[in-house]
Amino acid sequence: MLAVCISRVTLVPVFKPRAATVFLRARWYSTPTEVPLPNKSKVWASADEAVKDVKSGDVLLCGGFGLAGVPDTLLAALVKRKEVTKLTGVSNNAGAGDSGLGKLLNSKQIDKVVASYPGGNKAFEALYLKGEVSLELCPQGTLVERLRAHAAGIPAFFTPTGASTAVEDGAIPMRYNEGGFANGVKIPGIKKEMREFGGRKYIMEPAIAGDVAFVRAWKVDEVGNCVFSVRQPLLFAYLSTEHADSRRYTQQNFSTVMAKNAKLTIVEADQIVPTGSLSPNAIHVPGIYVDRVVQATAPKQIEHIKLAPSPSSSGKQSTLTPEQETAQKMRHRTAKRAAKELKDGFYVNLGIGIPTLIPAFLEPGVRVWLQSENGILGMGPYPTAEQVDADLINAGKETVTLLPGASVFDSSESFAMIRGGHVDLSILGAMQVSQAGDIANFMIPGKLVKGIGGAMDLVSNPDKTKVIVVMEHCAKDGSPKILKECTLPLTGARTVSQIITELAVFDVDRKNGHLELVELQEGVTLDEVKAKTGCDFKVRRDLSKL
């Protein structure tokens, strides 16, 4: 009988104090009652029917991170309704190709995008720089919190993220005049109110109210309860025949807060299940927030499949040019030095680029917990081909694995960890760093709009989370990247505590605005560092070489 009922019960271990025997007690997912449930099902026959009430000018919240958890079934249905235009699309990204908001951009149904990291969509970047679409660029943690705030009935809040940057000043244009950057700004950015609390600067951010939310979830029942990843007792997890199919990991991202926010929330489900078949303990989004449910039909996609190197590839001859090999060697040198800053048991967030190389150079015996903004704590190495999962990616949209003891959660939880200073170390790349510890790494006005992503949040609490920049000492044109003052828009002011390059290591006195050279890389001279650094710096008396 147990084998028949196992999909509908939780097996709870009951331990007797003076005996080694373990008894199993069955607990049903719902308590039997004579009171009938509401008859109305929220399941709709088709996505085309479900999106029929979306209208021109609506604010559309689109779940997903990169291509993980993107509601492409619903978006494809909306694309068919060409009469629906002037939409404001709110999403972490601006889509990619014909996925996510990319679908609606390609069909010219979107007039404005509110996003954190639109840089993955070069077509959108071109439209913005030509003045053909509006962009409200928002730090990732702030974006998810603005969505969560409205869902909770909070009109605005104060955050340290973005203080003393272009976000506070409203210096990022929302829209250029027709013809683009050279013709000036049509709609300026929004200047934020600033206040001080406890001696720190905070800026006020308004909540975002959605008219419609499109979300993709793993399992959804007929009354709208949503599950993005499995939550079940350990013993049941091992006994359940569903365990091998329960991997939905980073599918939560922005989807949970978006589902709770909008006037009309439509969820596309990988699996639609009967009411009562989901454990109450497993629900991520209660049905009260969900209005319509449809079957997901769009295939899942992966933006960047990154695999662990196979044993057979280690002996293969390199295909890199001499210049590329030299550049790779310098990047590895920087990463190897940065790895010395990671101590056993640290919670660490690594940015994209050089920071991703650091785990390969950890000191013997050092084990750390890697945190990823999209909702992972305990991120593991790249997968083998057999381990690849479309719902398990890092902040760079690359496929990854999980370590034993890992946890997954939504983006709101992730950035609470980050802003709250619970991460020990944040290591990022940069375009420029100043002698006072200012960092610029998200845009070049009129030329490049990568997006802020989670960077502003990651440097928002430098007294509790140490911020280290790893980068090439000079730009491609040979100009210094370490300067007296940054000339590009700031990601954070007086936030960086250490700078590590292929030439040297600097400690930053954020309070007094001074740099101190503390180490030289092997084969590097003091004169070379002085020649390639765009500001004055002190030299430690016992200057060491690596």
Side-chain angles (χ1 to χ4, degrees):
M1 182 64 183
L2 179 61
V4 175
C5 297
I6 198 164
S7 65
R8 294 189 295 154
V9 300
T10 300
L11 300 180
V12 182
V14 180
F15 295 92
K16 297 275 183 161
R18 294 188 181 135
T21 308
V22 178
F23 298 92
L24 295 178
R25 181 178 67 233
R27 180 188 298 153
W28 292 93
Y29 284 166
S30 56
T31 304
T33 177
E34 298 302 320
V35 179
L37 292 172
N39 291 322
K40 184 179 179 181
S41 170
K42 296 181 179 180
V43 178
W44 285 56
S46 70
D48 292 348
E49 277 293 303
V51 304
K52 67 179 182 179
D53 294 318
V54 182
K55 59 187 183 300
S56 294
D58 274 352
V59 175
L60 172 64
L61 313 181
C62 178
F65 187 97
L67 300 183
V70 175
D72 274 341
T73 304
L74 292 167
L75 290 165
L78 187 56
V79 166
K80 297 176 185 177
R81 298 189 57 212
K82 303 298 184 186
E83 75 279 8
V84 178
T85 59
K86 300 293 182 182
L87 294 170
T88 294
V90 182
S91 187
N92 181 62
N93 309 99
D98 194 41
S99 181
L101 291 186
K103 286 184 179 291
L104 299 176
L105 286 164
N106 295 341
S107 62
K108 302 188 184 302
Q109 291 171 275
I110 285 187
D111 184 62
K112 177 183 175 181
V113 170
V114 183
S116 159
Y117 196 88
N121 189 335
K122 292 299 181 183
F124 168 78
E125 183 181 43
L127 290 172
Y128 169 67
L129 293 174
K130 289 189 291 186
E132 296 179 15
V133 68
S134 298
L135 169 64
E136 185 178 340
L137 199 56
C138 184
Q140 191 176 140
T142 298
L143 179 58
V144 73
E145 198 66 14
R146 290 174 68 186
L147 292 162
R148 192 200 67 81
H150 176 74
I154 299 170
F157 58 91
F158 282 90
T159 176
T161 302
S164 300
T165 73
V167 171
E168 178 185 340
D169 299 336
I172 304 172
M174 195 172 294
R175 190 166 190 147
Y176 292 111
N177 284 317
E178 191 173 336
F181 175 77
N183 294 331
V185 174
K186 182 176 182 178
I187 305 176
I190 304 169
K191 185 176 175 61
K192 305 294 170 62
E193 177 185 341
M194 187 279 292
R195 291 189 190 180
E196 285 195 13
F197 298 92
R200 293 183 65 198
K201 292 181 67 176
Y202 294 77
I203 59 175
M204 191 178 78
E205 291 282 2
I208 295 175
D211 294 305
V212 184
F214 286 178
V215 168
R216 183 163 185 162
W218 172 41
K219 283 188 177 183
V220 184
D221 67 17
E222 294 165 320
V223 294
N225 292 311
C226 300
V227 177
F228 292 91
S229 57
V230 73
R231 287 178 180 169
Q232 52 194 13
L234 181 62
L235 185 58
F236 182 67
Y238 282 113
L239 290 172
S240 173
T241 56
E242 292 184 334
H243 182 59
D245 184 45
S246 65
R247 300 172 298 173
R248 292 300 177 268
Y249 305 125
T250 57
Q251 196 180 45
Q252 291 186 61
N253 48 68
F254 279 70
S255 296
T256 51
V257 293
M258 286 183 170
K260 298 172 184 178
N261 177 296
K263 298 174 187 175
L264 173 63
T265 292
I266 311 175
V267 179
E268 60 177 81
D270 295 339
Q271 299 178 43
I272 299 175
V273 298
T275 301
S277 61
L278 296 176
S279 167
N281 293 316
I283 307 301
H284 294 97
V285 176
I288 192 172
Y289 298 108
V290 176
D291 301 289
R292 300 173 186 178
V293 179
V294 300
Q295 179 64 51
T297 58
K300 295 189 176 186
Q301 302 181 59
I302 302 174
E303 199 162 342
H304 302 298
I305 297 179
K306 189 82 172 181
L307 301 179
S310 62
S312 60
S313 65
S314 59
K316 289 184 178 179
Q317 189 172 358
S318 173
T319 58
L320 299 177
T321 66
E323 292 79 11
Q324 289 173 328
E325 285 189 352
T326 299
Q328 184 184 73
K329 183 179 179 181
M330 293 301 100
R331 287 160 62 86
H332 285 185
R333 171 190 278 189
T334 303
K336 185 176 182 180
R337 172 57 188 84
K340 295 180 180 294
E341 300 299 318
L342 279 63
K343 307 304 178 186
D344 193 46
F346 265 21
Y347 294 97
V348 182
N349 185 288
L350 300 177
I352 60 176
I354 295 176
T356 62
L357 303 173
I358 292 172
F361 298 102
L362 289 176
E363 301 264 321
V366 173
R367 298 292 183 268
V368 299
W369 296 102
L370 296 181
Q371 197 263 11
S372 184
E373 300 100 287
N374 59 317
I376 300 175
L377 186 63
M379 184 169 61
Y382 295 126
T384 63
E386 294 74 24
Q387 293 173 319
V388 168
D389 190 315
D391 291 318
L392 186 48
I393 61 169
N394 62 18
K397 291 87 175 177
E398 299 171 325
T399 49
V400 293
T401 58
L402 299 180
L403 297 178
S407 56
V408 293
F409 32 83
D410 70 9
S411 296
S412 178
E413 184 77 49
S414 182
F415 282 95
M417 296 177 189
I418 291 167
R419 278 192 314 273
H422 304 287
V423 176
D424 296 299
L425 197 58
S426 174
I427 306 181
L428 307 88
M431 298 175 187
Q432 294 177 344
V433 185
S434 80
Q435 65 182 30
D438 302 336
I439 176 175
N441 74 348
F442 75 93
M443 74 178 298
I444 301 173
K447 294 182 179 180
L448 176 68
V449 188
K450 288 201 317 181
I452 298 168
M456 282 192 180
D457 298 278
L458 286 163
V459 303
S460 67
N461 199 345
D463 291 335
K464 290 187 175 180
T465 298
K466 183 179 179 180
V467 178
I468 298 177
V469 164
V470 293
M471 64 179 186
E472 290 87 2
H473 206 94
C474 296
K476 290 181 180 179
D477 64 1
S479 61
K481 295 173 68 173
I482 303 173
L483 305 166
K484 184 175 182 180
E485 293 182 354
C486 294
T487 59
L488 297 174
L490 295 187
T491 305
R494 293 182 181 253
T495 59
V496 178
S497 293
Q498 192 172 52
I499 305 168
I500 301 174
T501 75
E502 77 281 8
L503 300 183
V505 180
F506 292 91
D507 284 346
V508 184
D509 182 344
R510 295 187 288 111
K511 183 177 180 180
N512 297 307
H514 296 144
L515 278 183
E516 183 179 27
L517 177 65
V518 296
E519 294 175 15
L520 292 175
Q521 295 275 21
E522 183 180 0
V524 178
T525 66
L526 178 58
D527 287 340
E528 182 181 1
V529 173
K530 286 182 176 180
K532 294 181 177 180
T533 304
C535 62
D536 295 331
F537 54 85
K538 299 178 182 178
V539 179
R540 180 171 291 181
R541 184 170 299 175
D542 58 342
L543 181 66
S544 61
K545 284 199 174 187
L546 296 175

